[in-house]
């Protein structure tokens, strides 16, 4: 059941960028549709015209995700999406994010259909389409491009950890979690917005393909890198954000979970960005890991303890993912229980005022309150 949210989107208006249709057959609103979910909630780069998922055809994407309509329709097929747009949209984005990062045969057919219609393809999977002869030939024939967002730079251009992070004088806040696809990116994006609205200059450093697709200026798809370079690439993006924006605070998007048996990128995020504070995203009603049902979701208390023992940092707050909760009262009880058990502030960024999210950081770092006071005088 969806819980109505006062925060239906992380952007206040649709961007003036290239038009796009997001393909997410069978997964929109689900964990493996997180790229599509993220693009519908926030995109600085693309004007998302529609989402393709026949299960929800006829619905509104915002209503399906957050209980609040946003005017982006969910349609049954690419043909319907083109007809709805009244022209061929510029891009077809693969909004699927399965654990293996690979395309099925049925998904290949849809993306090739988009190319044949003259649409540029944006692909966030581990399956690099520019290495696929069929896709390369189709793109050349129809004069379109294929962007493999997760393709790393050449190894000669990748960074090892250098220690430059010690020259970054503003606090870094990492948004980590107890599982993959639990809402870390959404919370990180909302936190940046909330801090900027409060007069604190904040910038986001992304660590996954979705943030890059959304138009994030600073970021790297960590899970596609050789592990030796992961910490250095995170460090490099944080340093670039610091030097390029002169922010008061840098928010770093998390990946997976530090405790996760399959995803180790949280370790590199903690080592590379050396955050002064961590916010942990948790879904209290989730019992097993999203793509690994043989493993129980850790308690939020155990994840907090693991993070603080692994890195020289402290957890400053908990954010709740309200999946599986029947109503607002259930969300309130979950928040209260976390606060009582851990003695940390907690909130649900999608159903509670964003000021509560910003307050986690402002209370933990009083110097940011002082900088805000200078800006607002």
């Amino acid at each position: 059941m969806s819980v109505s949210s006062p925060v239906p989107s992380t952007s206040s208006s649709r961007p003036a960028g290239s038009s796009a249709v997001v393909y997410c057959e069978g997964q929109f609103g689900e964990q493996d549709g997180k790229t599509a979910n993220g693009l519908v909630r926030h995109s600085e780069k693309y004007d998302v015209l529609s989402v393709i998922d026949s299960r929800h055809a006829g619905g509104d994407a915002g209503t399906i995700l957050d209980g609040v309509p946003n005017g982006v329709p969910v349609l049954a097929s690419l043909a319907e999406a083109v007809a709805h747009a009244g022209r061929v949209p510029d891009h077809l984005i693969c909004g699927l994010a399965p654990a293996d990062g690979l395309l099925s045969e049925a998904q290949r057919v849809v993306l090739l259909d988009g190319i044949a219609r003259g649409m540029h393809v944006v692909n966030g999977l581990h399956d690099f389409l520019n290495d696929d002869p069929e896709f390369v030939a189709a793109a050349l024939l129809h004069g379109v491009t294929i962007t493999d967002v997760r393709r790393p730079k050449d190894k000669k251009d990748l960074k090892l950890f250098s220690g430059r992070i010690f020259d970054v004088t503003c606090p870094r806040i990492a948004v980590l979690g107890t599982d993959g696809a639990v809402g870390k990116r959404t919370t990180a994006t909302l936190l940046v917005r909330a801090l900027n609205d409060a007069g604190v200059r904040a910038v986001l450093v992304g660590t996954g393909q979705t943030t890059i697709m959304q138009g994030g200026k600073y970021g790297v798809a960590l899970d596609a890198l050789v592990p030796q370079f992961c910490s250095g690439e995170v460090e490099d993006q944080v340093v670039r954000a610091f030097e390029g924006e002169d922010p008061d605070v840098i928010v770093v998007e998390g990946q997976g979970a530090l405790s996760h048996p399959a995803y180790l990128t949280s370790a590199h995020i903690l080592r590379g960005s050396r955050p002064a504070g961590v916010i942990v995203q948790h879904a209290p009603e989730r019992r097993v890991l999203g793509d690994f049902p043989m493993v129980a979701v850790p308690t939020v208390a155990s994840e907090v303890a693991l993070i603080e023992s692994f890195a020289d940092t402290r957890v400053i707050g908990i954010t709740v993912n309200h999946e599986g909760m029947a109503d607002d009262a259930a969300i309130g009880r979950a928040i209260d229980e976390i606060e009582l058990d851990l003695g940390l502030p907690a909130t649900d960024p999608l159903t509670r005022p964003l000021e509560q999210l910003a307050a986690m950081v402002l209370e933990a770092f009083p110097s940011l309150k002082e900088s805000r006071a200078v800006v607002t005088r």
Side-chain angles (χ1 to χ4, degrees):
M1 176 178 177
S2 296
V3 179
S4 294
S5 164
V7 191
S9 171
T10 55
S11 60
S12 57
S13 61
R14 295 173 73 168
S18 299
S19 60
V21 170
V22 180
Y23 173 65
C24 196
E25 176 59 35
Q27 295 297 329
F28 185 61
E30 307 294 335
Q31 292 178 38
D32 283 356
K34 66 180 184 179
T35 294
N37 303 342
L39 287 165
V40 164
R41 285 187 171 123
H42 174 77
S43 178
E44 299 173 29
K45 188 172 185 179
Y46 301 106
D47 179 10
V48 176
L49 303 181
S50 62
V51 174
I52 298 171
D53 186 347
S54 60
R55 298 177 315 147
H56 296 295
D60 179 276
T63 302
I64 292 164
L65 285 181
D66 300 314
V68 179
N70 64 1
V72 177
V74 182
L75 304 172
S77 66
L78 180 57
E80 288 188 22
V82 173
H84 172 268
R87 58 186 174 85
V88 176
D90 300 318
H91 292 85
L92 178 59
I93 302 175
C94 184
L96 298 159
D100 60 10
L102 304 178
L103 279 177
S104 70
E105 284 303 314
Q107 292 160 359
R108 288 175 61 89
V109 168
V110 175
L111 296 185
L112 286 166
D113 184 18
I115 290 174
R117 293 173 184 269
M119 301 173 74
H120 303 285
V121 167
V122 181
N123 168 44
L125 300 177
H126 287 301
D127 222 352
F128 298 149
L129 302 185
N130 279 299
D131 293 340
D132 186 306
E134 185 177 14
F135 275 91
V136 171
L140 286 171
L141 178 63
H142 297 285
V144 301
T145 60
I146 298 172
T147 302
D148 290 316
V149 177
R150 262 178 166 148
R151 183 185 290 277
K153 296 179 290 188
D154 291 340
K155 288 186 177 64
K156 64 180 177 59
D157 298 319
L158 292 172
K159 307 292 185 182
L160 291 170
F161 184 81
S162 68
R164 291 187 300 151
I165 195 68
F166 300 117
D167 297 326
V168 177
T169 55
C170 71
R172 282 84 68 200
I173 310 297
V175 181
L176 305 183
T178 53
D179 193 8
V182 78
K184 298 179 291 291
R185 183 196 64 255
T186 297
T187 290
T189 304
L190 288 169
L191 177 58
V192 169
R193 170 177 153 186
L195 289 169
N196 279 296
D197 286 349
V200 175
R201 295 189 304 269
V203 63
L204 176 66
V205 170
T207 54
Q209 74 275 13
T210 304
T211 305
I212 296 170
M213 287 182 179
Q214 289 173 323
K217 189 174 180 181
Y218 304 99
V220 58
L222 274 187
D223 62 1
L225 293 182
V226 175
Q228 184 170 358
F229 298 105
C230 286
S231 295
E233 282 294 303
V234 172
E235 176 191 46
D236 183 61
Q237 292 298 316
V238 171
V239 170
R240 287 183 60 238
F242 178 66
E243 294 176 346
E245 308 296 330
D246 189 27
D248 297 316
V249 62
I250 295 172
V251 177
V252 184
E253 174 197 10
Q255 294 293 318
L258 188 58
S259 61
H260 204 292
Y263 306 137
L264 301 179
T265 40
S266 287
H268 299 293
I269 290 165
L270 286 165
R271 291 293 190 244
S273 70
R274 299 186 65 87
V278 172
I279 292 172
V280 176
Q281 178 93 4
H282 180 59
E285 295 300 315
R286 191 179 291 191
R287 298 293 176 246
V288 295
L289 297 182
D291 288 314
F292 301 87
M294 73 295 292
V295 181
V297 170
T299 66
V300 68
S302 69
E303 197 71 24
V304 168
L306 180 61
I307 290 167
E308 293 185 337
S309 64
F310 179 80
D312 181 15
T313 190
R314 60 189 172 116
V315 174
I316 63 173
I318 309 297
T319 46
V320 169
N321 176 325
H322 61 247
E323 67 178 44
M325 297 184 189
D327 52 33
D328 194 72
I331 299 172
R333 288 192 296 272
I335 291 171
D336 291 344
E337 183 176 330
I338 288 170
E339 291 188 331
L340 286 170
D341 286 351
L342 299 183
L344 291 169
T347 188
D348 176 357
L350 288 175
T351 67
R352 298 300 186 263
L354 287 183
E355 291 83 359
Q356 294 181 14
L357 187 59
M360 288 182 178
V361 175
L362 297 175
E363 292 301 321
F365 299 94
S367 62
L368 293 176
K369 290 184 180 180
E370 296 169 10
S371 68
R372 178 179 62 166
V374 170
V375 170
T376 55
R377 277 176 190 161

